[in-house]
Amino acid sequence: MSKKTTIYDIAKKLNITAATVSRALNNNPKISEATRELVLKTAAKMNYEQNRLAQALKSGKSYNVGVIVPRIDSNFFASVIRGIEEELYPMGYHVIICQTHDQKSLELTNINSLLNAQVDGVIMSVSNVNDADIVNPDTDTKVIEDDIFNNLIKKNVPLIFFDRKKDIKGVSSVVIDDFKGAYDATQHLIDQGKKRIAHLSNNRDMEIFKNRYLGYKQALIDNGIEFDESLVIECYSKVPDGRKVTQKLLAMETPPDAIFSVSDFSALGAIKEILDQGLRIPEDISVVGFSNEPFTKFMELSITSVDQSPTEMGRIAAKVFLEEVENGNNVKSEKHVVLSPELMIRKSSLSKSSAITV
Amino acid sequence: MSKKTTIYDIAKKLNITAATVSRALNNNPKISEATRELVLKTAAKMNYEQNRLAQALKSGKSYNVGVIVPRIDSNFFASVIRGIEEELYPMGYHVIICQTHDQKSLELTNINSLLNAQVDGVIMSVSNVNDADIVNPDTDTKVIEDDIFNNLIKKNVPLIFFDRKKDIKGVSSVVIDDFKGAYDATQHLIDQGKKRIAHLSNNRDMEIFKNRYLGYKQALIDNGIEFDESLVIECYSKVPDGRKVTQKLLAMETPPDAIFSVSDFSALGAIKEILDQGLRIPEDISVVGFSNEPFTKFMELSITSVDQSPTEMGRIAAKVFLEEVENGNNVKSEKHVVLSPELMIRKSSLSKSSAITV
DNA sequence: ACATATAATGTAATCGATTACAATAATAAG
DNA sequence: CTTATTATTGTAATCGATTACATTATATGT
């Protein structure tokens, strides 16, 4: 109601200038202790609050950071975001969250929109589905792949990838060792006596899915199991998709005795289909997912999965961002952090009645 | 790298003033068609993009809206947020999402922080746990309940509650008819032949939980079933909490034959406990949850739940916000929207082998 | 006491866009 | 061919905070 108090109001009341008030408020050394205290007290009394927009305009920093994720209603992304917030909030930053619903077109929209909002940086996990011929509204030309990030890079706005990254020079990233995660999961299945292990993959143009595929493959090879391409199927990370694909697997002449999925959601779809067909888990078919979504633990038939320590991932991504901001436009050094995954062994894959990791 | 182009750059290049450029860019009528086109073309060529901070400072509008939720990793809140975004993005707004983790202290922090970021409004679902004696950093006095929102209200920043609201005069809200949702759920259990229906409640200082409690109670009364206070237990909306509480219920002399929970998460906890004790669902005990979280549908034993049409709720909350913004500080009229819940009947409560609502 | 160093404050420009008001150019009216 | 009218553009203040530079007040040294 009553207009907000500005430093000018305080200045007028104290018969000094706004500059002095500003200095007092900013702990500038060029000011006497007496006036500083006076100003601080008066500011408090007048209910002064700094206008961040003005400050942002002056400093060129908005103290807003954009976070772009495929969706927020997965525990993985929500946890990463929480990690980012935990690190950035105390530093005075705000986080603007955008969802792409895994569509590249929305990714472009979001980036431009965030740029427009003057964000100081963007932390993101790239999307999967190239849903349409994307047209850059600025240039009216079609956008191909990495072009999407050009606007950011041209403007020198810090960009940090997490989990789903792209290899772009100058761009830092925080990921887990997907190869190892997949290798461990596959090895575990082999240890349980499984020999015909299928793999629910996803678009392998994306590094994470490619690496999981490679880890899976290597584990087979290292154990002297023949790699069978027909056991690898791509599908979206959704329950219905996992289900559909599993239908095909089960219809094979010699169906698999285990499934390692790059996603907990498609793993869940697989489980539903397997059970619906009257097969037993893990006796007939074992299933392992990826991401350690909470439901994997909650299911009556708990699901073995690979934990990605998402909160940690978020915190680190935020730290990398802060470093880049400090560096300013100076040294443009990429930083690539790789976290170690952890296999959480549960009922869906545990043949023997050993202890269960929760 | 190359500093961003401003209207001054354009002005200089065309040998006109920034004012003219601004007018051209803003479709101001006081300008010739010729210059407008020239400016527009030059702006595009120079890759001009408006600095929203400057505009925000001038106009006093940041085009940022704060959304405060207990957490984002529940499908309900994530979907509400999506609804809000769908409505607000096309209008040029950005959404800053804050999580409180259900702690009132964080709620206060978030509000002040958003206020500091000059948001044009706040759309929120209030938190549950009064985790500590909250001290207002401004006044250094303890904050009690609604005081938390005072800063917003004093500054006349539009505030809209959704789902978990507080009755504050002048503040609009969008909720579902919780009474009806609970009534329908309870009636359904009764229809299935259940007579001793327990209720997992939650802090009934919150309207939603109070209303669900009342709906439950009324359904019992309307069906001539004696209301038994000992069958009503408060617990947090978490899996472990639901489990603990169910343990107590099952240890009663005459345990319940059905459980209606205000939360899908505590319902899931109940289910795990029931199954662990070797009881059958729904034969021995039926369970109904609330919120229609995706996992309720995905479980092998799918869970009956009450859908709250969260996306719709978000869209409407956003619309109400937009109306309030248009109104400006003029008419201060509250608006209270009540959506209708829908009972999704699934295996966890369906005694007879009727069709299953998906 | 006087010169000089240091501390404290003031002045004014700046960040980028908007807009009342003033000034000029173009057109219509007489 | 003036004068009135309108269309277009320019000038300069404004939003609120920050800061280089200038100025004044105070302290220190000899």
Side-chain angles (χ1 to χ4, degrees):
Chain A
M1 271 284 60
S2 49
K3 305 145 213 153
K4 289 159 196 158
T5 27
T6 72
I7 53 171
Y8 295 95
D9 301 326
I10 301 176
K12 199 176 292 172
K13 171 157 257 173
L14 294 180
N15 241 327
I16 55 180
T17 61
T20 307
V21 175
S22 174
R23 282 188 277 254
L25 258 22
N26 288 299
N27 266 25
N28 188 310
K30 302 171 120 195
I31 198 173
S32 73
E33 204 45 50
T35 33
R36 156 170 300 134
E37 273 174 29
L38 184 61
V39 169
L40 255 36
K41 212 170 291 176
T42 315
K45 210 169 294 169
M46 294 179 73
N47 239 313
Y48 169 77
E49 274 176 43
Q50 194 196 44
N51 184 327
R52 276 187 62 206
L53 292 177
Q55 192 198 17
L57 175 60
K58 188 80 223 301
S59 67
K61 287 189 64 177
S62 68
Y63 277 95
N64 276 144
V65 175
V67 174
I68 303 179
V69 292
R71 75 199 78 86
I72 57 175
D73 65 342
S74 96
N75 184 269
F76 173 71
F77 289 118
S79 298
V80 173
I81 290 172
R82 187 200 305 203
I84 293 173
E85 285 179 343
E86 282 175 1
E87 205 66 32
L88 254 33
Y89 255 77
M91 308 298 286
Y93 284 90
H94 277 277
V95 172
I96 297 181
I97 300 169
C98 298
Q99 307 183 60
T100 65
H101 304 296
D102 240 332
Q103 294 165 17
K104 283 244 160 275
S105 56
L106 278 175
E107 202 163 64
L108 181 67
T109 310
N110 282 329
I111 288 178
N112 287 334
S113 175
L114 287 173
L115 236 23
N116 192 242
Q118 244 73 35
V119 292
D120 295 339
V122 171
I123 302 176
M124 74 181 292
S125 202
V126 307
S127 285
N128 197 342
V129 183
N130 208 319
D131 55 327
D133 289 322
I134 308 170
V135 173
N136 186 329
D138 289 342
T139 62
D140 245 338
T141 55
K142 277 193 195 170
V143 176
I144 353 175
E145 281 293 4
D146 301 354
D147 284 9
I148 290 180
F149 311 106
N150 277 166
N151 278 345
L152 279 167
I153 294 165
K154 257 189 294 178
K155 299 198 176 161
N156 217 30
V157 174
L159 169 64
I160 288 101
F161 288 128
F162 69 85
D163 194 48
R164 302 171 169 199
K165 75 186 179 95
K166 284 271 172 194
D167 269 324
I168 299 180
K169 63 173 180 301
V171 180
S172 297
S173 66
V174 183
V175 299
I176 61 153
D177 189 338
D178 287 290
F179 182 95
K180 179 172 187 299
Y183 190 101
D184 290 353
T186 311
Q187 182 68 53
H188 161 71
L189 287 169
I190 296 168
D191 291 346
Q192 302 296 307
K194 301 297 182 176
K195 304 225 176 303
R196 201 166 154 71
I197 302 169
H199 179 43
L200 299 197
S201 186
N202 197 333
N203 180 2
R204 258 168 285 154
D205 289 341
M206 309 205 70
E207 286 191 32
I208 56 167
F209 299 130
K210 188 178 73 188
N211 289 335
R212 290 176 199 175
Y213 165 76
L214 292 174
Y216 153 82
K217 199 168 170 181
Q218 192 62 46
L220 295 181
I221 293 170
D222 289 356
N223 285 274
I225 298 181
E226 198 189 351
F227 169 70
D228 180 352
E229 189 72 52
S230 71
L231 286 176
V232 177
I233 310 192
E234 279 195 13
C235 82
Y236 289 137
S237 302
K238 306 242 164 174
V239 178
D241 298 86
R243 192 167 186 143
K244 254 177 262 164
V245 161
T246 304
Q247 239 162 3
K248 284 189 203 153
L249 283 173
L250 297 182
M252 292 175 82
E253 258 181 74
T254 40
D257 57 8
I259 295 178
F260 163 54
S261 169
V262 293
S263 147
D264 282 334
F265 293 98
S266 39
L268 177 54
I271 287 177
K272 289 185 78 79
E273 184 61 30
I274 292 167
L275 294 177
D276 274 8
Q277 298 209 9
L279 297 166
R280 291 162 310 159
I281 298 174
E283 293 81 357
D284 299 321
I285 304 184
S286 285
V287 178
V288 173
F290 212 106
S291 281
N292 198 23
E293 288 284 329
F295 70 79
T296 58
K297 186 163 66 181
F298 293 151
M299 305 287 292
E300 296 101 282
L301 174 69
S302 60
I303 306 176
T304 299
S305 189
V306 178
D307 186 71
Q308 305 176 272
S309 46
T311 311
E312 184 68 6
M313 190 179 281
R315 298 192 77 118
I316 294 177
K319 279 182 191 162
V320 172
F321 159 76
L322 289 172
E323 284 172 21
E324 297 210 358
V325 168
E326 301 235 324
N327 267 2
N329 306 356
N330 307 341
V331 198
K332 198 68 215 172
S333 62
E334 313 174 21
K335 188 161 191 176
H336 295 285
V337 181
V338 179
L339 303 176
S340 195
E342 185 183 359
L343 184 65
M344 312 302 279
I345 299 172
R346 304 203 181 91
K347 290 184 193 165
S348 70
S349 70
L350 201 63
S351 304
K352 305 134 194 169
S353 57
S354 322
I356 289 180
T357 315
V358 181
Chain B
M1 268 289 56
S2 50
K3 306 143 212 154
K4 289 162 199 158
T5 29
T6 71
I7 52 172
Y8 295 96
D9 301 325
I10 301 176
K12 199 177 292 172
K13 171 158 258 174
L14 294 180
N15 241 326
I16 54 178
T17 60
T20 307
V21 175
S22 173
R23 282 188 275 252
L25 259 22
N26 288 298
N27 266 24
N28 188 311
K30 304 171 117 194
I31 197 172
S32 72
E33 203 46 47
T35 34
R36 156 171 300 134
E37 272 173 30
L38 183 62
V39 168
L40 255 35
K41 214 171 289 176
T42 315
K45 210 169 292 169
M46 295 180 72
N47 238 314
Y48 169 77
E49 275 177 39
Q50 193 195 45
N51 185 326
R52 275 188 61 205
L53 292 177
Q55 193 197 16
L57 175 60
K58 190 78 222 302
S59 68
K61 285 191 64 176
S62 68
Y63 278 94
N64 277 144
V65 175
V67 174
I68 303 178
V69 293
R71 74 199 80 85
I72 58 174
D73 65 341
S74 95
N75 183 269
F76 173 71
F77 289 118
S79 299
V80 173
I81 291 172
R82 188 201 303 203
I84 293 173
E85 286 180 343
E86 283 176 359
E87 204 67 32
L88 254 33
Y89 255 77
M91 307 298 286
Y93 284 90
H94 276 278
V95 172
I96 298 181
I97 300 169
C98 297
Q99 307 183 56
T100 64
H101 304 295
D102 240 332
Q103 294 164 17
K104 283 244 159 274
S105 57
L106 279 174
E107 202 164 67
L108 182 66
T109 310
N110 282 330
I111 288 178
N112 286 335
S113 176
L114 288 173
L115 236 22
N116 192 241
Q118 244 73 35
V119 292
D120 295 339
V122 171
I123 302 177
M124 75 180 291
S125 201
V126 307
S127 285
N128 196 341
V129 182
N130 209 321
D131 55 327
D133 288 323
I134 309 170
V135 173
N136 186 329
D138 289 340
T139 61
D140 246 339
T141 54
K142 277 195 195 167
V143 176
I144 354 173
E145 281 293 4
D146 302 353
D147 283 9
I148 291 181
F149 311 105
N150 276 165
N151 278 345
L152 280 168
I153 293 164
K154 257 190 293 179
K155 298 196 178 162
N156 218 28
V157 175
L159 169 63
I160 288 101
F161 288 129
F162 69 85
D163 195 46
R164 301 172 170 198
K165 73 185 181 93
K166 284 269 171 195
D167 269 326
I168 300 179
K169 64 171 178 303
V171 179
S172 297
S173 67
V174 182
V175 298
I176 61 154
D177 188 337
D178 287 290
F179 182 94
K180 178 172 188 301
Y183 189 101
D184 290 354
T186 310
Q187 181 67 54
H188 161 70
L189 287 169
I190 295 168
D191 291 346
Q192 302 296 308
K194 302 297 182 176
K195 304 222 174 306
R196 204 167 151 68
I197 303 169
H199 179 45
L200 300 198
S201 185
N202 197 332
N203 181 2
R204 257 166 286 155
D205 289 341
M206 308 205 70
E207 285 190 33
I208 55 167
F209 299 130
K210 188 178 74 188
N211 288 336
R212 290 176 198 176
Y213 164 77
L214 292 175
Y216 152 81
K217 199 167 170 181
Q218 192 62 45
L220 295 181
I221 293 170
D222 289 356
N223 285 272
I225 298 180
E226 199 189 351
F227 168 70
D228 180 352
E229 188 73 50
S230 71
L231 287 175
V232 177
I233 311 192
E234 277 197 14
C235 83
Y236 289 137
S237 302
K238 306 241 165 176
V239 178
D241 298 87
R243 191 166 187 141
K244 253 177 264 164
V245 161
T246 304
Q247 240 162 3
K248 285 189 203 154
L249 283 174
L250 297 182
M252 292 176 81
E253 256 180 76
T254 39
D257 57 7
I259 295 178
F260 163 55
S261 169
V262 293
S263 146
D264 282 334
F265 292 98
S266 40
L268 177 54
I271 287 176
K272 289 185 79 82
E273 184 61 31
I274 292 166
L275 294 176
D276 274 7
Q277 297 209 8
L279 297 166
R280 292 163 309 160
I281 297 175
E283 293 81 357
D284 299 321
I285 305 185
S286 286
V287 177
V288 173
F290 212 105
S291 280
N292 198 25
E293 288 284 330
F295 70 79
T296 57
K297 186 162 65 182
F298 293 150
M299 306 286 293
E300 296 101 284
L301 175 67
S302 58
I303 306 175
T304 299
S305 190
V306 178
D307 185 71
Q308 305 177 273
S309 45
T311 311
E312 184 67 7
M313 191 180 280
R315 298 191 78 118
I316 293 177
K319 279 181 193 162
V320 172
F321 159 76
L322 289 172
E323 283 172 23
E324 297 210 358
V325 169
E326 301 236 325
N327 267 2
N329 305 357
N330 306 343
V331 197
K332 198 66 212 171
S333 63
E334 315 174 21
K335 189 160 189 175
H336 295 286
V337 181
V338 179
L339 303 176
S340 195
E342 185 184 359
L343 183 66
M344 312 301 279
I345 298 172
R346 303 205 181 90
K347 290 186 193 165
S348 70
S349 71
L350 201 63
S351 305
K352 305 135 191 170
S353 58
S354 322
I356 289 179
T357 315
V358 181

